[in-house]
Amino acid sequence: MVRTNSTRQALRETAQWLMAQREALDEQLSQHSLLDGLEASLSDLEQYTLDAATWAEEFLSIKADEQGEWRFEHGVVADELRRVAADLAVGWQQNLEAVSAF
């Protein structure tokens, strides 16, 4: 089983908090584009996390053994997994950059 619900929930809660504090943050920071970028980054990151979890659950439901495990033969990882992992890595990097801009 792939466990990403808590990560996605934390991302949603952070985005909700950011939106609730938006007016106060706008006044203090006067950095509207930075806040917009951070909100977009959180939304993208939640979607990338969902995409990765969905892919993994579907893959494992087909390929996993009785213990729910799968080993990639000779370390060769499926192209689709590489794509969702790359999207996830880019999403976290964009989020880090958005937060670091403050």
Side-chain angles (χ1 to χ4, degrees), residues 3-59:
R3 297 180 185 186
T4 59
N5 289 340
S6 60
T7 300
R8 292 181 37 239
Q9 180 64 31
L11 291 166
R12 272 193 300 278
E13 288 173 1
T14 302
Q16 290 168 351
W17 178 88
L18 186 62
M19 289 189 306
Q21 302 302 316
R22 181 66 191 248
E23 188 174 319
L25 290 170
D26 278 344
E27 289 175 13
Q28 289 179 343
L29 299 173
S30 64
Q31 301 273 343
H32 307 293
S33 62
L34 292 177
L35 291 172
D36 291 342
L38 184 55
E39 286 177 353
S41 172
L42 289 167
S43 177
D44 290 347
L45 195 48
E46 183 183 350
Q47 185 61 52
Y48 295 147
T49 302
L50 177 61
D51 292 346
T54 300
W55 182 89
E57 288 172 359
E58 289 173 0
F59 181 85

